[in-house]
């Protein structure tokens, strides 16, 4: 112990901590070494047992499957060693595996047939071990073998009755064995005899050495880290402990007179704590003496202090109860749904706090209703002078009752009446200031709940009006964020695929938020305080009249929000487009009818004279010229006939039609033509479609025109898809015809059904095909639309029919 007295506290702390850390590191290194070695042994053991199980499986297969099969197939007494000897086959298999993997496999026996299977001393010990312990089926251990460490796994070789044919008497053995190995080796065994072992050994010398090297390297690294760690500990210990102790010594030196408690101030540098403990002990002794002296001085004051303390405790308890009552009133305000519920809660709380026998609340603001706790007891009438003392904020006591005004600064809400269990005991012991505070707090709560109810009514009314507007209406902030949206807006912008309403109205309308003219329109509307309106499209299919109305400034609050009113104009635009197209078709039809009549007569005359010239002119060049004239004349007549069909379409004869069957019929009809062009006609037809009223002749003309147009547009190796489905909500059949062609230009989509409009070369088309298709579909009560995705997509809708 005297030796350690001359060692500093810091040194003792560091040395002890270093020794503990070193012992823990050595312990962990040892645990790591044995753990890694155990992992290696476990892995080698699993592999050895797996290989022995594999050898057993091979030998079992040879004994139970292969050898009996060979005996049946081969002549009697014929024996093929390479295919029927389980020992030979397993040894050959394992020798092949030994060449690929570094392990040692041996199957040995006493008096072996093969000299290479003679056991060495180690293997003889294993045979003796299994003979001495016949109940053991496996043996595993790491041993030193031929100067190296090996992990061996072995099992005994016990001869069974079926083995006696080859290992019993030489006279019973197959001739091939006798001829190959002779009559001495491998014979003379008996059933149940343990005369050999099968062993597998894995060399572990290098693995154990690697584990030792890794453990030593870890230990060295741990020691280096330990030295660095304790260098940092020493540095921080000097700063945080030694430095603080020195500061404490200076504090004592400046706080105590010279010569007092020298151990706290001075001392050997290595004994900071010990000297300080000694000094603190002296100080404790002096303080104890001083305390005894002060106690003697305070004996006369103790009784007075105890009494005053009890009074203060009681007052603190009462004030705490009062504060808790105020808190409970506020909580009642939050949990109450109406004025009656709030009053019932507050009356109960007041009765409990003031130990009152009865608490009454007289309403004076909106009614003469009275609330009481507990219910059913008799209560006095409100004093006639209550307006005076209520306005003066006074408390009145009358006939054992105390009446407290419930009022705010500007309004009287009612009067509280309270009485004690003994009505003759006078007024309540609670001060008037506390009772007036209770009344004022209750008035504030009543005022708040009344204001809240009014706000809720106004909110519900405005919400009903807002939600009752069928057109979409949204409240937008300055950054175009959606603050509120009515049901009309949600029904448009919320879908099953997108159940959440978008955060901004550009996202809802599908506008480009990074370059949005509408976003700048919101800022301008707020700045100028003037309405703004524009027509926009939604997803390219629906059109809306978008109007922005700025909210006015309210007091100091700037109106930085706008009301967005949206009116859908999709049906108006569709009806206008249909009326415009119908008027155009009617005008063109009348013109086409007149032109066809005027052109058809000269063409008939030309055809008549061609027939006369054919009969009068001899065969020759003139005949070929007449054929050219006749061919062009017929072509002109065909065009005139198309004009007549367009101008005066025949009235469709509607019958019950199966849409899928009609489509399949025309697909089969055009299949040959499509195969010549290497175009695939595909169908995706919904089963069990309802029927519709249609004209087969009109359907033939519609499908023919659309299929021929698709075949002209689709390149080789393309496709045309016919898809049908049934819309249960609108009770309509929907046919979609889509091809893999280049599609239709955007500026052509609005003119695609116009008469004489065509994108084909001159002489390749009249531009009447799709116009006729449009008219026929309209005549059958359907409608047709076109889109480009790319590839042309025609959508035809027919109403389902009973």
């Amino acid at each position: 112990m005297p030796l350690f007295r001359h060692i500093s506290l810091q040194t003792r702390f560091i040395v002890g901590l270093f020794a503990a850390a070193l012992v823990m590191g050595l312990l962990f290194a040892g645990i790591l070494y044995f753990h890694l070695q155990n992992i290696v042994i476990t892995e080698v053991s699993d592999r050895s047992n797996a290989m022995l199980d594999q050898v057993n499986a091979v030998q079992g297969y040879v004994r139970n499957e292969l050898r009996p099969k060979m005996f049946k197939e081969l002549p009697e007494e014929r024996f093929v060693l390479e295919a029927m000897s389980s020992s030979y086959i397993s040894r050959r298999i394992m020798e092949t595996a030994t060449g690929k993997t570094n392990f040692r496999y041996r199957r040995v026996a006493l008096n072996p047939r093969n000299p290479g299977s003679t056991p060495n001393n180690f293997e003889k010990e294993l045979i003796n071990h299994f003979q001495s312990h016949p109940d053991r089926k496996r043996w595993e251990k790491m041993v030193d073998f031929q100067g190296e460490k090996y992990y061996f796994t072995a099992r005994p070789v016990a001869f069974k009755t079926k083995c006696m044919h080859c290992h019993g008497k030489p006279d019973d053995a197959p001739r091939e064995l006798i001829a190959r190995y002779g009559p001495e080796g491998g014979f003379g065994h008996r059933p149940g005899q343990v005369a050999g072992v099968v062993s597998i050994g894995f060399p572990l010398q290098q693995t154990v050495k690697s584990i030792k090297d890794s453990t030593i390297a870890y230990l060295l690294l741990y020691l280096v880290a330990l030295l660095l760690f304790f260098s940092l500990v020493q540095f921080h210990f000097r700063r945080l402990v030694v430095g603080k102790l020195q500061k404490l010594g200076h504090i004592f030196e400046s706080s105590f007179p010279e010569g007092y408690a020298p151990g706290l101030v001075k001392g050997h540098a290595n004994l900071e704590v010990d000297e300080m403990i000694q000094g603190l002990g002296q100080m404790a002794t002096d303080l104890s003496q001083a305390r005894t002296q002060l106690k003697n001085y305070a004996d006369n004051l103790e009784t007075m202090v105890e009494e005053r303390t009890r009074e203060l405790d009681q007052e603190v308890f009462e004030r705490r109860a009062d504060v808790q009552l105020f808190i409970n009133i506020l909580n009642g305000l939050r949990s109450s749904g109406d004025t009656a519920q709030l009053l019932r809660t507050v009356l109960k709380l007041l009765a409990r706090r003031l130990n009152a026998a009865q608490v009454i609340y007289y309403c004076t603001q909106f009614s003469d209703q009275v609330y009481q706790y507990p219910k059913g007891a008799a209560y006095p009438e409100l004093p006639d002078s209550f307006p005076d003392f209520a306005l003066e904020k006074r408390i009145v006591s009358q006939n054992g009752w105390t009446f407290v005004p419930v009022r705010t600064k500007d309004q009287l809400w009612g009067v509280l009446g309270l009485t004690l269990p003994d009505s003759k005991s006078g007024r309540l012991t609670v001060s008037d200031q506390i009772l007036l505070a209770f009344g004022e707090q209750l008035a504030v709560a009543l005022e708040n709940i009344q204001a809240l109810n009014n706000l809720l009514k106004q909110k519900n009314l405005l919400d009903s009006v807002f939600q009752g507007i069928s057109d979409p209406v949204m409240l937008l902030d300055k950054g175009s964020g959606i603050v509120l949206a009515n049901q009309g807006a949600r029904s448009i912008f919320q879908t099953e695929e997108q159940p959440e309403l978008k955060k901004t109205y550009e996202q809802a309308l599908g506008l480009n938020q990074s370059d949005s003219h509408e976003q700048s329109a919101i800022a301008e509307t707020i700045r100028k305080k003037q309405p703004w309106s524009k027509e926009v499209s939604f997803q390219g299919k629906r059109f809306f009249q978008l109007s922005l109305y700025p909210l006015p400034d309210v007091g100091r609050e700037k109106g930085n929000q706008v009301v967005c009113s949206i009116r859908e104009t999709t049906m108006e635009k569709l009806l206008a487009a249909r009326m415009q197209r119908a008027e155009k078709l009617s005008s063109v039809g009348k013109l086409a009818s007149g032109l066809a009549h005027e052109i058809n007569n000269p063409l008939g005359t030309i055809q008549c004279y061609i027939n006369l010239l054919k009969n009068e002119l001899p065969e020759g060049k003139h005949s070929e010229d007449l054929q050219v004239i006749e061919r062009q004349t017929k072509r002109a007549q065909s065009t005139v006939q198309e004009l007549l069909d367009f101008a005066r379409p025949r009235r469709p004869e509607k019958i019950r039609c199966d849409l899928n069957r009609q489509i399949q019929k025309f697909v089969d009809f055009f299949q040959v033509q499509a195969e010549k062009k290497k175009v695939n006609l595909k169908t995706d037809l919904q089963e069990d479609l309802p029927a519709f009223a249609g004209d087969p002749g009109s359907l033939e003309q519609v499908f023919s025109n659309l299929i021929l147009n698709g075949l002209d547009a689709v390149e080789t190796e393309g496709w045309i898809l016919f898809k049908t489905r049934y819309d249960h909500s609108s009770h309509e059949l929907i046919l979609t015809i889509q091809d893999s062609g280049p599609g239709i230009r955007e500026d052509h989509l609005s003119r695609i059904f116009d008469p004489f409009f065509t994108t084909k070369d001159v002489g390749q088309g009249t531009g009447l095909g799709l116009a006729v298709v449009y008219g026929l579909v309209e005549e059958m009560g359907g409608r047709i639309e076109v889109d480009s995705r790319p590839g042309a997509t025609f959508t035809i809708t027919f109403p389902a029919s009973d």
Side-chain angles (χ1 to χ4, degrees):
M1 192 67 182
L3 176 63
F4 289 103
R5 289 183 58 83
H6 297 286
I7 300 176
S8 66
L9 174 65
Q10 178 181 352
T11 304
R12 281 182 280 172
F13 174 75
I14 297 298
V15 170
L17 193 60
F18 182 83
L22 183 60
V23 171
M24 290 179 61
L26 293 173
L27 180 62
F28 183 76
I31 293 173
L32 179 63
Y33 171 77
F34 288 108
H35 177 66
L36 293 176
Q37 181 173 306
N38 185 53
I39 289 175
V40 172
I41 290 176
T42 302
E43 183 178 354
V44 172
S45 174
D46 293 341
R47 292 180 60 188
S48 302
N49 284 296
M51 295 178 73
L52 284 179
D53 292 338
Q54 183 178 0
V55 171
N56 292 340
V58 171
Q59 291 181 348
Y61 174 74
V62 173
R63 294 192 194 102
N64 301 324
E65 302 291 339
L66 187 58
R67 186 187 296 165
K69 184 68 175 178
M70 294 296 290
F71 275 132
K72 290 181 181 180
E73 298 295 333
L74 296 176
E76 188 175 358
E77 297 301 328
R78 182 82 169 93
F79 188 84
V80 180
L81 180 67
E82 291 78 0
M84 302 173 68
S85 173
S86 61
S87 301
Y88 181 87
I89 292 173
S90 62
R91 184 170 60 253
R92 293 293 295 169
I93 291 174
M94 296 307 294
E95 286 175 357
T96 303
T98 303
K100 297 180 179 179
T101 308
N102 185 19
F103 68 93
R104 187 177 186 276
Y105 171 80
R106 291 270 292 167
R107 178 185 174 89
V108 298
L110 301 176
N111 188 24
R113 180 174 290 121
N114 186 352
S117 300
T118 302
N120 54 31
N121 294 332
F122 171 69
E123 293 164 343
K124 288 180 180 178
E125 292 178 0
L126 289 176
I127 295 174
N128 293 332
H129 172 78
F130 285 119
Q131 289 177 345
S132 302
H133 304 83
D135 56 330
R136 294 189 179 179
K137 303 302 180 183
R138 292 286 169 94
W139 178 90
E140 299 182 46
K141 192 174 183 182
M142 186 169 67
V143 298
D144 291 329
F145 181 76
Q146 295 180 354
E148 293 188 3
K149 287 190 178 296
Y150 273 81
Y151 188 86
F152 277 99
T153 302
R155 69 167 179 83
V157 176
F159 289 95
K160 300 180 181 179
T161 303
K162 63 175 68 176
C163 301
M164 294 298 102
H165 181 62
C166 297
H167 295 280
K169 297 179 181 180
D171 296 337
D172 298 334
R175 293 190 301 275
E176 286 80 356
L177 289 178
I178 301 298
R180 187 164 185 171
Y181 295 108
E184 291 80 11
F187 296 105
H189 298 290
R190 63 183 182 278
Q193 178 187 5
V194 177
V197 293
V198 176
S199 65
I200 295 178
F202 284 89
L204 299 181
Q205 187 73 24
Q206 188 63 34
T207 304
V208 173
K209 183 177 180 301
S210 299
I211 293 174
K212 289 181 179 179
D213 294 341
S214 299
T215 305
I216 293 172
Y218 160 76
L219 189 57
L220 292 176
L221 183 62
Y222 177 77
L223 290 175
V224 172
L226 200 60
L227 291 174
L228 293 175
F229 171 73
F230 281 106
S231 299
L232 293 175
V233 170
Q234 183 178 8
F235 173 75
H236 287 286
F237 186 86
R238 178 172 292 277
R239 291 190 60 186
L240 299 177
V241 179
V242 176
K244 301 297 183 183
L245 289 176
Q246 292 176 352
K247 271 187 183 178
L248 185 61
H250 291 307
I251 291 173
F252 281 122
E253 184 178 11
S254 60
S255 302
F256 291 95
E258 184 177 358
Y260 180 80
L264 293 175
V265 179
K266 302 177 182 179
H268 196 278
N270 296 334
L271 301 175
E272 308 95 340
V273 178
D274 295 338
E275 293 293 341
M276 190 166 292
I277 291 173
Q278 183 180 355
L280 288 174
Q282 182 180 348
M283 182 185 294
T285 302
D286 295 341
L287 290 175
S288 176
Q289 295 175 357
R291 179 176 178 275
T292 302
Q293 295 174 1
L294 290 174
K295 184 177 181 181
N296 295 331
Y297 293 138
D299 284 341
N300 297 329
L301 299 175
E302 184 174 358
T303 302
M304 296 175 61
V305 171
E306 288 180 356
E307 292 178 358
R308 182 57 181 165
T309 301
R310 284 195 295 270
E311 292 176 0
L312 291 175
D313 289 341
Q314 181 63 27
E315 186 176 352
V316 168
F317 175 78
E318 292 177 356
R319 297 293 81 76
R320 186 178 298 167
D322 295 337
V323 172
Q324 185 62 43
L325 177 59
F326 286 121
I327 294 174
N328 292 336
I329 292 176
L330 293 177
N331 292 333
L333 174 62
R334 286 199 300 266
S335 61
S336 299
D338 53 19
T339 303
Q341 184 178 359
L342 174 63
L343 287 172
R344 284 193 291 269
T345 302
V346 171
L347 294 182
K348 184 177 181 181
L349 292 173
L350 284 173
R352 290 181 178 179
R353 165 65 186 93
L354 304 176
N355 295 321
Q358 193 174 359
V359 182
I360 307 295
Y361 177 78
Y362 303 88
C363 295
T364 61
Q365 178 63 30
F366 300 106
S367 66
D368 295 332
Q369 190 171 358
V370 176
Y371 296 89
Q372 64 177 144
Y373 179 85
K375 292 182 178 181
Y379 56 88
E381 294 292 334
L382 188 66
D384 297 333
S385 61
F386 83 90
D388 298 331
F389 72 77
L391 292 176
E392 297 173 1
K393 291 187 178 180
R394 290 186 296 106
I395 295 177
V396 173
S397 296
Q398 181 178 323
N399 299 326
W401 283 82
T402 301
F403 297 95
V404 181
V406 178
R407 61 165 298 168
T408 58
K409 183 178 180 181
D410 302 322
Q411 187 172 2
L412 175 65
W413 289 85
V415 177
L416 275 175
L418 304 100
T419 184
L420 294 174
D422 184 7
S423 60
K424 297 181 180 180
S425 60
R427 293 180 53 174
L428 297 171
T429 58
V430 182
S431 65
D432 291 350
Q433 289 79 8
I434 297 297
L435 291 176
L436 289 173
F438 286 157
E440 187 174 351
Q441 186 69 25
L442 178 57
V444 170
L446 291 172
E447 187 176 40
N448 288 337
I449 199 168
Q450 188 70 28
L452 180 61
N453 289 334
N454 291 334
L455 286 176
L456 290 175
K457 290 179 181 179
Q458 294 295 326
K459 177 184 176 299
N460 293 334
L461 177 61
L462 292 176
D463 189 64
S464 299
V465 174
F466 184 66
Q467 297 295 339
I469 300 174
S470 59
D471 288 336
V473 179
M474 296 185 291
L475 180 63
L476 309 177
D477 58 20
K478 191 173 183 180
S480 74
I482 298 176
V483 181
L484 290 175
N486 70 345
Q487 189 59 36
R490 294 180 180 277
S491 64
I492 293 178
F493 302 129
Q494 279 183 298
T495 61
E496 294 181 357
E497 295 79 8
Q498 296 179 343
E500 296 294 333
L501 190 64
K502 299 297 184 180
K503 295 183 178 179
T504 65
Y505 93 113
E506 289 96 342
Q507 295 174 346
L509 293 174
L511 302 176
N512 185 1
Q513 192 172 7
S514 62
D515 185 18
S516 175
H517 176 70
E518 285 72 15
Q519 187 173 11
S520 62
I522 293 178
E524 287 297 312
T525 302
I526 294 174
R527 186 177 65 84
K528 296 181 179 180
K529 298 298 180 182
Q530 293 180 355
W532 176 90
S533 181
K534 181 185 177 181
E535 187 177 66
V536 297
S537 63
F538 176 61
Q539 296 180 349
K541 295 183 179 180
R542 303 178 70 175
F543 297 89
F544 299 90
Q545 185 67 31
L546 178 65
S547 300
L548 301 178
Y549 302 95
L551 292 184
D553 298 339
V554 180
R556 296 183 179 180
E557 296 292 332
K558 298 295 183 181
N560 290 327
Q561 295 177 329
V562 297
V563 175
C564 176
S565 175
I566 304 173
R567 185 174 63 85
E568 185 170 7
T569 59
T570 306
M571 293 306 298
E572 296 177 9
K573 294 182 72 69
L574 290 176
L575 290 175
R578 289 180 182 177
M579 291 178 62
Q580 184 179 6
R581 183 175 288 111
E583 292 175 359
K584 185 186 297 183
L585 292 177
S586 176
S587 300
V588 174
K590 293 178 180 179
L591 176 62
S593 177
L595 288 176
H597 179 72
E598 295 297 330
I599 295 173
N600 210 21
N601 290 334
L603 289 177
T605 303
I606 294 173
Q607 182 65 42
C608 180
Y609 277 96
I610 290 172
N611 294 332
L612 293 174
L613 290 174
K614 279 184 179 181
N615 296 329
E616 296 179 1
L617 294 178
E619 295 291 335
K621 182 178 180 181
H622 297 292
S623 178
E624 296 177 358
D625 295 337
L626 286 176
Q627 290 178 0
V628 172
I629 296 172
E630 184 180 20
R631 187 166 57 251
Q632 296 301 323
T633 302
K634 290 182 178 181
R635 179 181 172 187
Q637 289 177 335
S638 177
T639 302
V640 169
Q641 187 60 45
E642 290 184 5
L643 285 172
L644 290 174
D645 292 339
F646 170 73
R648 298 194 299 270
R650 65 181 182 85
R651 192 168 190 82
E653 299 178 0
K654 295 184 180 181
I655 61 173
R656 180 184 178 89
C657 293
D658 186 337
L659 182 59
N660 287 344
R661 183 178 298 176
Q662 294 289 335
I663 293 171
Q664 193 63 51
K665 179 177 69 174
F666 287 102
V667 169
D668 295 339
F669 179 78
F670 284 96
Q671 192 68 44
V672 176
Q673 187 174 350
E675 290 177 354
K676 289 181 180 180
K677 198 175 178 182
K678 297 183 178 179
V679 175
N680 184 17
L681 298 182
K682 303 187 296 183
T683 59
D684 181 8
L685 308 179
Q686 179 180 333
E687 297 182 356
D688 301 328
L689 285 180
F692 74 102
D695 180 14
S698 299
L699 289 175
E700 178 180 356
Q701 195 168 355
V702 169
F703 293 156
S704 299
N705 276 311
L706 293 177
I707 293 176
L708 291 174
N709 283 347
L711 291 175
D712 291 339
V714 175
E715 301 292 338
T716 304
E717 304 297 338
W719 50 265
I720 301 176
L721 173 64
F722 296 82
K723 182 178 180 180
T724 60
R725 64 184 178 90
Y726 177 60
D727 189 348
H728 292 272
S729 60
S730 61
H731 302 289
E732 291 178 330
L733 302 175
I734 301 175
L735 165 63
T736 303
I737 303 176
Q738 183 180 2
D739 61 50
S740 61
I744 303 171
R745 285 169 44 183
E746 188 71 23
D747 56 337
H748 289 171
L749 287 175
S750 61
R751 304 171 55 198
I752 197 69
F753 295 113
D754 290 350
F756 307 111
F757 176 79
T758 180
T759 58
K760 298 179 181 179
D761 296 335
V762 178
Q764 298 296 319
T766 61
L768 293 172
L770 290 179
V772 172
V773 167
Y774 183 88
L776 292 175
V777 171
E778 291 281 338
E779 287 291 335
M780 287 186 287
R783 62 180 184 274
I784 182 170
E785 298 174 355
V786 64
D787 194 7
S788 186
R789 303 186 179 179
T793 301
F794 289 89
T795 303
I796 304 175
T797 305
F798 293 110
S801 174
D802 295 334

